[in-house]
Each structure stands twice: as structure tokens, then as C-alpha cells.
Amino acid sequence: MKKIIIVFLFVNSIVAIAQRTCHTNDKMNELIQNNPEFKIHHEETMDFIRNPNNTNAALNRSTSVVYTIPVVVHVLYKNAAQNVSEAQILSQIGILNADYRKTNTDFNSVVPTAFRPLGADFELAFCMATQKPDGTATNGIERKSVASSFVFENQYYTSAGLPVWDPTKYLNIWVGRFTDNTLLGFAYLPSIVGTSYANRDGLCIGDKFFGNTGTAQAPYNKGRTATHEIGHYFGLDHPWGDGNCDADDGVADTPATYDAYYDCVSFPNNTYMCSPSTNGAMFMNYMDYVPDACMAFFTAGQKAIAQATMNGPRASLKTSNGCQSLNVTEQEAIQSIAIYPNPVSQFFMITSPQINVDYVEIFSTNGQMVKSQKLDEVNNKIYVDNLETGVYYLRIYNENRLLKSDKLIKK
């Protein structure tokens, strides 16, 4: 009888993690449903980073630039086994660098010939932070023993867990053990930047699905859960979007499906295709739900959205000195000023990570100044909900010196 119980528990533990479950949509919906203002901002931000004008600009850059993003890993453990090793952490960073630069060794073996030309190097790299927000040295890892009653998925960013490092400068990753055994991880979409919810911005991931060694468990032991969730962090959606075939992920080169692929299947496969085709579904894309060994690439269209995100909501990461000192010219600093979303109905953000900005003026098309506001943050929120629909012009200053002008469309 004892043996039967042991076998039963073992089988149940396998079933509990038999399918990938990403809670990004659930977490975003919690914010959207509880805050109508955030709902509008979220929709406009996602429209902004999917706008062809912004994605095409990202793809058609005249020069290739690789942005290196500082990472801090917050380990929250209830026992010694959950206190993941530095080796496990570094294995995950290595996987992210391979997957986002398209140097992963399984690209050719997993991605069918028909889809390989669509594969993209995101020109994004990841490094462990070498300095904390206060400038002191770090290895990019902090650890905390938490109580057995600690609910990782809800408390990770609170004082009971480990609070966020400046999310305008670091990609925060929290590693722990979920109380919900079906949950692998989640990351917030870029619309969270600069809002009152920014203290939870980053990746929250189970230690059993992190990296490829230590506590990582098959079939999610190749580090692809983090690759998938950080895709959300950069603005990517699942290929099936809302699942109704009328609102997919907004990416032209990922075939529209109406449901997730949870298992490794043979190519081609049209089971969940909105419009069956010769090549079928791109189930081996990092943003689907197949096991780690069966996903191996992002597309150029997905790269365009990630780069538009880096030119908008997450622009401050481009000039972060979290893992190295940067020599940035004044012109580069001015170019790093981001204004989003645009068009906008209620408020937009001015992000200036590398140069101080102290106020903005907004003018109508007839030259009349309709609003001015002091700026004192890296991410500044400017409300325009009381302005009439139309085109406006912005002038951004530092100590009476004009730094940047831009056009804003008020919906």
C-alpha cells in the first residue's frame, strides 16, 4: 500500500507540471480590471509598440546595435534545496543570451527549413549586474529565506520578499517556489513601466523551471520558460492572442492560431490554425507552450516589437550602467529620450534615462501653449485627457535649453 501511495504521488507531481502555464495574461488582467485608467494606458502602449511605423523603424535601422541589459536575480527560498546555486543562475543567463541572439545550438534541429529564414537575432544581451542602484558592488544575486507560509506568486516584490531594484535600469528576476503547482512563471508587459505597479515589474519564475541544472525539472529544464516570459517583458504576446482568430499577437510572420500547442508535435501541423496552410502552425516558437526541447526561435516580426519596446517603454534599459560604465555622448543621451504611447487619449510618458529633463511644453497647431509641466523622474507621466482631439507639438527642456521637439496625436 505504501508503494502504491508513493507511485501515485510521483505520477501526480509529473501531471502537475505536464503542461506549460504562463500567468502573464492573468496578472495583467488583474491590473486592467482593477484600474480603468491603466486599462486605457495598457491598450495604447501595446498599440504603440505594434504600430508599423515604430516596428518598421526598428527593423530598418541603418546600424546594428546590441543592447546589454543588467539583470538582478532575487532568490526567495523556503529550504536549502530551493536556494538555487550561482551555477543554475548563470546557466539561465547563458540560455537567454543564446536564445535572444539566435546562437542556440538547437535552432537548425528544431526549426523546420520552411521557418528558418524568419529566425531573428534580437540584438539583446543580458549580463549579471555588477553594481547596485546605490553604486556599490554586487554579483547581481541577492537571497532571502522566507516563511513556509510565503506566497511567492503574490508576495515576491513586497517587503516579505525582496523589493525591486530600479526597474528603469535592471531586469529583475525573482526565483522561488510557487504555491500553485501548475504555474511556471509570468512577466508583466511593458505597459507597466512608470505606473504605480512598476514595483512588481520583471520576471517571476519557479526554481524548477529556471536554467538547465540544479533544481530544474524536465520537460522544462532547458531555460525556455524564462525566454518565453521575458518575451512578454519585451511586449510579445502568445501566437493565439485572445484565442478567437480575430485578435492574434499582432505579428505578421507568426501564423495565427486559436489555441496553444502543449506537446511536441510533428511538422507541419494545422490542428489549431485559424487558416490551415502548407507549413501550418509555428508551434516551435518561443512564445508558444510546447516543452523546452521543442521551441527554438523568435521571428523578425517579434524582434520588431521588442525593438519598438526598447525605443519606447523600456528605453531606459539601453543606457543603464548596471553592469558596466557607459560613455554616452550628449547627442546619444538626447536621442534616448522616449515619448509613448502616441497616439494617446489620457496620458503619455516621457522617459529620459541619460540626461536630465526638467519641463515640457505642449503647443497646439496654431502655436498656442496649452500645457506645461515640470519633470523630475526618469519616467514622467503627462496627462492630456482635457485637451481636444488633434495634433500637438512638444518641446522638452533642461535648464531652459531645448533638448527635443516632437509631435503628439491626441485621440
Side-chain angles (χ1 to χ4, degrees), residues 134 156 199 262 324:
D134 63 6
Y156 66 94
N199 61 342
Y262 291 96
Q324 60 183 328

Side-chain angles (χ1 to χ4, degrees), residues 171-392:
L171 164 57
N172 286 259
I173 298 178
W174 288 268
V175 181
R177 186 67 57 91
F178 290 117
T179 56
D180 179 351
N181 290 328
T182 67
L183 203 162
L184 274 68
F186 58 86
Y188 285 92
L189 292 164
S191 53
I192 201 172
V193 174
T195 70
S196 59
Y197 303 118
N199 61 342
R200 64 191 77 185
D201 188 14
L203 164 65
C204 184
I205 186 169
D207 68 285
K208 294 187 290 186
F209 322 110
F210 186 70
N212 61 8
T213 187
T215 62
Q217 294 183 11
Y220 306 113
N221 60 341
K222 294 184 179 295
R224 264 56 193 272
T225 295
T227 300
H228 173 105
E229 301 300 346
I230 291 172
H232 290 310
Y233 175 87
F234 288 120
L236 303 183
D237 199 352
H238 302 124
W240 57 94
D242 67 1
N244 293 320
C245 289
D246 57 359
D248 64 2
D249 61 352
V251 181
D253 58 7
T254 58
T257 57
Y258 59 85
D259 204 353
Y261 282 84
Y262 291 96
D263 304 308
C264 297
V265 296
S266 298
F267 171 85
N269 189 291
N270 278 287
T271 303
Y272 302 120
M273 283 288 287
C274 292
S275 299
S277 65
T278 301
N279 295 328
M282 193 180 282
F283 55 83
M284 71 297 301
N285 188 275
Y286 289 132
M287 297 311 295
D288 214 306
Y289 273 6
V290 295
D292 283 16
C294 300
M295 54 170 57
F297 84 127
F298 289 118
T299 69
Q302 290 172 318
K303 173 185 178 177
I305 287 179
Q307 289 290 330
T309 296
M310 288 296 290
N311 290 333
R314 300 207 182 277
S316 59
L317 291 173
K318 294 193 295 185
T319 51
S320 172
N321 61 354
C323 50
Q324 60 183 328
S325 296
L326 298 177
N327 293 318
V328 180
T329 67
E330 183 179 70
Q331 186 58 36
E332 289 172 331
I334 292 173
Q335 290 176 349
S336 73
I337 299 173
I339 300 165
Y340 66 91
N342 189 7
V344 63
S345 61
Q346 56 177 5
F347 69 86
F348 68 95
M349 307 293 296
I350 295 178
T351 295
S352 183
Q354 206 62 34
I355 191 169
N356 289 332
V357 292
D358 54 23
Y359 69 100
V360 59
E361 296 175 339
I362 303 178
F363 293 85
S364 65
T365 53
N366 62 10
Q368 180 185 10
M369 187 171 71
V370 295
K371 185 181 180 71
S372 65
Q373 182 174 320
K374 291 184 178 180
L375 309 173
D376 52 14
E377 304 287 344
V378 171
N379 290 301
N380 298 274
K381 182 185 293 186
I382 296 90
Y383 281 90
V384 291
D385 50 327
N386 62 339
L387 297 183
E388 295 181 358
T389 299
V391 176
Y392 294 86

Side-chain angles (χ1 to χ4, degrees), residues 73-85 88-89 141-152 155-156 160-162 173-178 205-208 215:
V73 177
H74 312 279
V75 181
L76 297 163
Y77 60 95
K78 296 179 179 180
N79 55 54
Q82 296 174 15
N83 189 12
V84 298
S85 68
Q88 185 170 348
I89 292 169
I141 304 170
E142 61 173 3
R143 303 173 183 274
K144 184 176 181 179
S145 175
V146 295
S148 59
S149 59
F150 182 78
V151 182
F152 176 55
Q155 296 180 288
Y156 66 94
L162 285 168
I173 298 178
W174 288 268
V175 181
R177 186 67 57 91
F178 290 117
I205 186 169
D207 68 285
K208 294 187 290 186
T215 62

Side-chain angles (χ1 to χ4, degrees), residues 376-410:
D376 52 14
E377 304 287 344
V378 171
N379 290 301
N380 298 274
K381 182 185 293 186
I382 296 90
Y383 281 90
V384 291
D385 50 327
N386 62 339
L387 297 183
E388 295 181 358
T389 299
V391 176
Y392 294 86
Y393 296 97
L394 310 179
R395 292 170 67 86
I396 301 171
Y397 296 87
N398 175 37
E399 296 181 351
N400 295 319
R401 183 165 67 103
L402 177 64
L403 297 180
K404 185 171 185 175
S405 299
D406 212 332
K407 181 173 73 173
L408 182 76
I409 298 174
K410 168 65 168 58

